[in-house]
Amino acid sequence: MKKFLFVLSAIALLGLTSCVEQMENNPNYNPETNAVLTNVVFNVSTSNTPTTKQTSADTQASTSETFRGLTDAVLLSFKLGVSNNGDYVTAATTTADKAYHLGDLIAADGLHPSSTTVNDPISHRIIELALPLETNELMFWGKAPMTTTANAQGSIDFKIPSTSDKDLSTFEFSLKQRIPGDGDEQTRFLQYQAALAYTLNYIMESSFSGDIAYPAGSTAQTFNVKWSDYVTIEANSITVKTTSPVDANTAISPLGEVLGDAYKAINTVNPNEVRAGSAEAIRRMMQDLYQVVKKVADATPTTMPEAVAANVAQQIESRIGNAFQDPGTDCAWKTVANWASGTGYTGGTSLMTTPFTNFPKAPFGVPMGSCELQVAYTTGANQKVTWSYLQNLNASGFGGGTANLFNYMYPAELCYFGNSPIRVSADPHVANDYPDGVANWDNDASWLAGATGTNSSAWEKSSHVHSTTRSVAMQENINYGTALLKSTVTYGNSVLKDNNHAIQKLSIPNLPDTDELDKEITVSGTSFTLVGVLIGGQAQTMGWNYIKKSGNFDKMIYDSNLPSTAIPATVGTESTPNYTLVWDNYDENNAGSTTKQSDVYIALEFVNGTGEDFWGNANMVRKGGTFYLIGKLDPDAIAVSGKTTAEIAADQSLGITWPDHYALPPLDANGNTIKERRVFIQDYMTTAKFVIGENSLKSAYVTVPDLRSTQISLGLSVDCTWQTGLVFNNIILGQ
């Protein structure tokens, strides 16, 4: 039973070879090249799982979708030796006998797998090739044409070099970075980060220098007071001063204390906290700050220290206004040009051609939470704070480690792969002679004499091209080289709780359990919207068999092209399915019948539409803000009838319906599938049902966690299935 739609099932080669002595019976034979001009027939299989994007149309997830076509097609023929008829190409075979670049092989809508109309092209496409004598193995690669955008249909480097197209070691297929290293995109990205960090530092360095006459009519005094003068900055902490920066013998004024508290709150990053660095997160922070300092700036001072504090607040207010339009209301980012002139910025802006507003999602296509701020403290007489961006993201709150900022990848593209022995026939055949559809193609009875058509003699299975051969068929299916993730989201409870009590208890250790209770949020159809799916543990580059060729499993696929963002309010009702093409995550370092393949962490990106703030893992998630919940896909967290947990862990072949009509990579030295279950298997669909439970919001992050971590606080329940494979039942997010 197939897993995907439109999997190329087989290739048939018609009108094949003959030796020199029988040339008069086979006019297509060329004695100089020892090859015969042949017809090649592709047979295409269909899915048993009707479902919808990345969309179902882009991933061909259902039989009702229009076939997207097949391009960049390459066929290799091999002579493995007639004593090895029926064998597969393994890692031990590195060089083909002949390569055929077939280009745009099947046009969009060129096949109709759901059709019941007679003579409608359900699964056939015929081309002509010259195939050498003694060929006994064929391999195939190709992919669906790109018809829209990389965000919709994925993006890879599909590399089969024409100068070394018979050398399998040169084949590689690589996910493309969303912020590529070539060209100016990374420089452009860093320009935006530098400008945003400058904005924070510019406002934090607010100060007042001038004369103040207080009370009115008295002799003016000259002051030079920084905002940071209201606090003491130590190596790892900031405390509000108890004395006035104007007069060390006077207690700090109420207005001065407000300024000190605001400075400390903004510039203190607590343990396990990560500070979101998107333009929107900074805008909200400055909007909150403006509301605080505005009250101080407009207050009527009762002492000289309060008059000084009011003037410092006015300078903070002014600097916020230099960077933001209408800070008292919308507090929107100014245009890059107006922002630069207002703040006096002299750094690079040459590549900053779009507004700050939605950085980094626009214009770079990476998650809103992918930018993390860090702060450094300078102590002593010139104390200050300095904000900057982490390029290797701090994952201290997620179990340790780092995640490189430029490791965000587009989804994979829809790729095809075939590795097959051949069937041969001594008779020529036309298209209607061939079995139609996967079930018939895989059924040996379909290849007996008279099984199909009017000129159908018996075929010889697992053979090679003889001198008398006139027709050849690729014996095994051509399948997908990519894996597919189907994801849905549902609520497990109608009322969700935030993390308020635990957060408050950090500062009040003796806080009673009955005080500062968690906020309760009753969900509706607009409470939270799903805007992105992040998939960790991906290797960037696959080899000829779509198994990792090089690098580590440290890349993250980000899919933001969702068919729908709504999550139904009814408990248990799933959202519209989203489909994301990914690579197989087989890791040879974890190979072994009792060694578990890696867990995979999935982060779902949500927008808080509740209209109120709530406390997540270590940060407040603002209304309208972006946050992340994490789910873990564990290949051992399955149920197998009659097997205990220990028995499942001890036998990594359990829980998957392994194919019996083709060799699924990776293969062992004998050409047998290495049967090790894993989260993503090429040509299989993994289904993940994520459940937002009662306590999931307690594990909400405001930046993207390192999805390689083994100690992430999980926030989602996951019910995962492989088509004809594993089932994970309701693993709650946040556990």
Side-chain angles (χ1 to χ4, degrees):
M1 187 174 291
K2 292 303 301 173
K3 285 69 64 181
F4 283 7
L5 170 65
F6 302 147
V7 179
L8 284 183
S9 175
I11 298 177
L13 306 171
L14 306 182
L16 256 216
T17 62
S18 169
C19 67
V20 176
E21 291 79 6
Q22 307 215 357
M23 231 175 84
E24 67 277 6
N25 295 323
N26 192 358
N28 291 331
Y29 174 68
N30 185 333
E32 294 183 1
T33 61
N34 230 20
V36 175
L37 185 64
T38 67
N39 289 326
V40 181
V41 178
F42 289 83
N43 191 53
V44 182
S45 75
T46 59
S47 169
N48 66 328
T49 308
T51 41
T52 334
K53 178 165 171 300
Q54 247 157 352
T55 64
S56 63
D58 292 318
T59 59
Q60 295 181 172
S62 78
T63 58
S64 62
E65 303 296 348
T66 300
F67 180 68
R68 285 182 54 196
L70 200 156
T71 189
D72 293 333
V74 174
L75 182 77
L76 298 188
S77 65
F78 291 80
K79 296 179 180 180
L80 301 181
V82 296
S83 63
N84 298 313
N85 286 345
D87 286 358
Y88 298 93
V89 170
T90 67
T93 304
T94 60
T95 305
D97 181 60
K98 192 170 182 179
Y100 307 84
H101 289 262
L102 308 178
D104 297 329
L105 190 60
I106 305 177
D109 201 26
L111 298 173
H112 304 122
S114 296
S115 176
T116 57
T117 302
V118 176
N119 295 326
D120 201 18
I122 294 176
S123 58
H124 285 151
R125 165 70 168 91
I126 303 174
I127 60 174
E128 291 186 340
L129 293 177
L131 198 67
L133 295 176
E134 296 192 359
T135 295
N136 59 357
E137 164 73 20
L138 297 175
M139 296 190 74
F140 179 90
W141 295 263
K143 67 186 186 74
M146 179 73 72
T147 56
T148 57
T149 65
N151 207 43
Q153 294 180 337
S155 184
I156 65 170
D157 284 321
F158 190 85
K159 181 182 176 183
I160 300 179
S162 59
T163 56
S164 56
D165 53 9
K166 293 187 289 185
D167 183 357
L168 295 181
S169 68
T170 66
F171 288 30
E172 59 184 41
F173 314 103
S174 302
L175 300 173
K176 284 188 179 180
Q177 291 174 285
R178 283 186 167 268
I179 307 176
D182 55 346
D184 294 329
E185 279 303 281
Q186 291 190 6
T187 300
R188 183 186 184 202
F189 189 88
L190 295 174
Q191 280 191 357
Y192 277 92
Q193 285 193 330
L196 291 169
Y198 171 84
T199 302
L200 283 175
N201 293 325
Y202 168 76
I203 294 170
M204 295 308 113
E205 293 169 4
S206 298
S207 64
F208 169 74
S209 295
D211 296 339
I212 299 176
Y214 184 87
S218 63
T219 302
Q221 299 180 53
T222 301
F223 296 95
N224 184 7
V225 181
K226 302 174 183 177
W227 184 14
S228 60
D229 288 340
Y230 288 89
V231 299
T232 299
I233 301 177
E234 301 292 349
N236 298 303
S237 64
I238 298 176
T239 56
V240 179
K241 288 182 176 178
T242 58
T243 58
S244 171
V246 175
D247 182 356
N249 296 318
T250 303
I252 191 169
S253 67
L255 296 184
E257 189 172 10
V258 171
L259 292 182
D261 285 338
Y263 190 94
K264 175 184 176 181
I266 286 179
N267 296 298
T268 298
V269 179
N270 295 313
N272 297 330
E273 178 190 358
V274 289
R275 188 62 59 89
S278 68
E280 174 61 14
I282 294 173
R283 184 198 72 80
R284 285 182 172 274
M285 184 163 53
M286 293 302 101
Q287 186 178 38
D288 290 345
L289 174 62
Y290 186 88
Q291 300 302 322
V292 173
V293 299
K294 177 68 173 173
K295 293 177 181 179
V296 177
D298 293 348
T300 301
T302 58
T303 63
M304 177 61 82
E306 288 203 334
V308 173
N311 276 273
V312 172
Q314 289 166 15
Q315 294 303 309
I316 302 170
E317 182 183 25
S318 176
R319 289 201 169 199
I320 295 173
N322 290 338
F324 297 91
Q325 189 72 37
D326 300 322
T329 53
D330 295 335
C331 196
W333 282 97
K334 290 186 174 181
T335 64
V336 172
N338 290 342
W339 165 87
S341 62
T343 62
Y345 185 65
T346 58
T349 59
S350 60
L351 301 175
M352 297 169 61
T353 56
T354 58
F356 289 112
T357 310
N358 291 316
F359 174 86
K361 197 158 193 175
F364 297 100
V366 296
M368 288 294 280
S370 60
C371 288
E372 182 181 336
L373 288 162
Q374 62 181 345
V375 62
Y377 296 161
T378 300
T379 62
N382 297 315
Q383 67 175 16
K384 66 175 183 177
V385 297
T386 303
W387 288 94
S388 62
Y389 281 89
L390 285 165
Q391 301 310 315
N392 290 308
L393 301 183
N394 184 352
S396 61
F398 318 116
T402 59
N404 187 282
L405 181 62
F406 301 122
N407 279 357
Y408 293 104
M409 304 288 157
Y410 286 105
E413 294 186 50
L414 191 63
C415 298
Y416 298 92
F417 176 65
N419 181 1
S420 176
I422 60 175
R423 297 179 191 264
V424 300
S425 171
D427 293 326
H429 291 275
V430 296
N432 288 341
D433 290 342
Y434 287 86
D436 206 2
V438 171
N440 291 326
W441 194 276
D442 287 340
N443 185 357
D444 288 342
S446 300
W447 301 88
L448 299 176
T452 58
T454 59
N455 185 24
S456 178
S457 61
W459 289 73
E460 186 180 346
K461 184 179 180 181
S462 297
S463 187
H464 65 274
V465 174
H466 304 285
S467 62
T468 56
T469 299
R470 303 293 293 273
S471 302
V472 171
M474 199 169 178
Q475 186 167 298
E476 312 291 8
N477 299 331
I478 293 174
N479 302 292
Y480 284 112
T482 38
L484 184 66
L485 170 67
K486 173 188 174 184
S487 51
T488 59
V489 183
T490 185
Y491 290 113
N493 295 77
S494 59
V495 178
L496 310 180
K497 295 181 179 180
D498 82 341
N499 204 32
N500 179 66
H501 183 77
I503 293 293
Q504 303 309 323
K505 198 161 186 175
L506 291 175
S507 56
I508 312 173
N510 296 322
L511 184 70
D513 291 343
T514 56
D515 199 3
E516 289 288 350
L517 298 178
D518 295 331
K519 177 180 290 186
E520 294 188 348
I521 298 172
T522 300
V523 300
S524 69
T526 59
S527 294
F528 304 107
T529 53
L530 177 68
V531 296
V533 178
L534 293 101
I535 302 154
Q538 287 279 289
Q540 185 170 4
T541 301
M542 301 289 106
W544 61 269
N545 55 357
Y546 291 97
I547 296 296
K548 189 194 80 167
K549 180 178 182 179
S550 60
N552 299 314
F553 291 93
D554 60 353
K555 302 300 186 288
M556 290 181 283
I557 284 177
Y558 178 50
D559 183 8
S560 61
N561 190 32
L562 310 187
S564 173
T565 61
I567 304 171
T570 303
V571 171
T573 301
E574 297 177 49
S575 61
T576 301
N578 181 64
Y579 298 88
T580 308
L581 291 166
V582 300
W583 287 145
D584 193 313
N585 73 319
Y586 175 80
D587 185 354
E588 64 180 357
N589 293 322
N590 293 334
S593 59
T594 61
T595 303
K596 172 182 153 181
Q597 290 287 319
S598 297
D599 299 337
V600 171
Y601 291 90
I602 309 290
L604 300 186
E605 185 179 36
F606 297 94
V607 171
N608 177 13
T610 63
E612 53 185 321
D613 305 335
F614 69 85
W615 281 103
N617 178 268
N619 294 78
M620 178 174 284
V621 178
R622 299 297 307 275
K623 58 182 179 183
T626 301
F627 68 97
Y628 301 84
L629 293 175
I630 316 301
K632 182 175 74 172
L633 309 188
D634 179 352
D636 275 4
I638 61 170
V640 178
S641 179
K643 298 294 182 180
T644 66
T645 300
E647 288 172 328
I648 292 171
D651 185 351
Q652 290 298 304
S653 70
L654 295 175
I656 295 287
T657 302
W658 300 99
D660 56 8
H661 283 95
Y662 66 98
L664 177 72
L667 307 181
D668 63 19
N670 296 319
N672 300 313
T673 294
I674 297 175
K675 296 180 178 180
E676 294 194 14
R677 66 175 175 270
R678 48 200 183 272
V679 173
F680 299 125
I681 301 177
Q682 58 185 278
D683 195 42
Y684 279 68
M685 181 171 71
T686 301
T687 300
K689 176 185 175 183
F690 296 100
V691 180
I692 303 176
E694 181 182 16
N695 295 306
S696 290
L697 298 183
K698 298 179 186 295
S699 298
Y701 295 104
V702 296
T703 59
V704 180
D706 179 359
L707 297 182
R708 299 167 301 159
S709 173
T710 59
Q711 299 179 41
I712 292 174
S713 294
L714 303 180
L716 292 170
S717 158
V718 187
D719 178 6
C720 286
T721 62
W722 272 272
Q723 276 315 103
T724 64
L726 302 182
V727 176
F728 296 100
N729 288 315
N730 295 320
I731 305 167
I732 303 293
L733 286 166
Q735 301 301 300

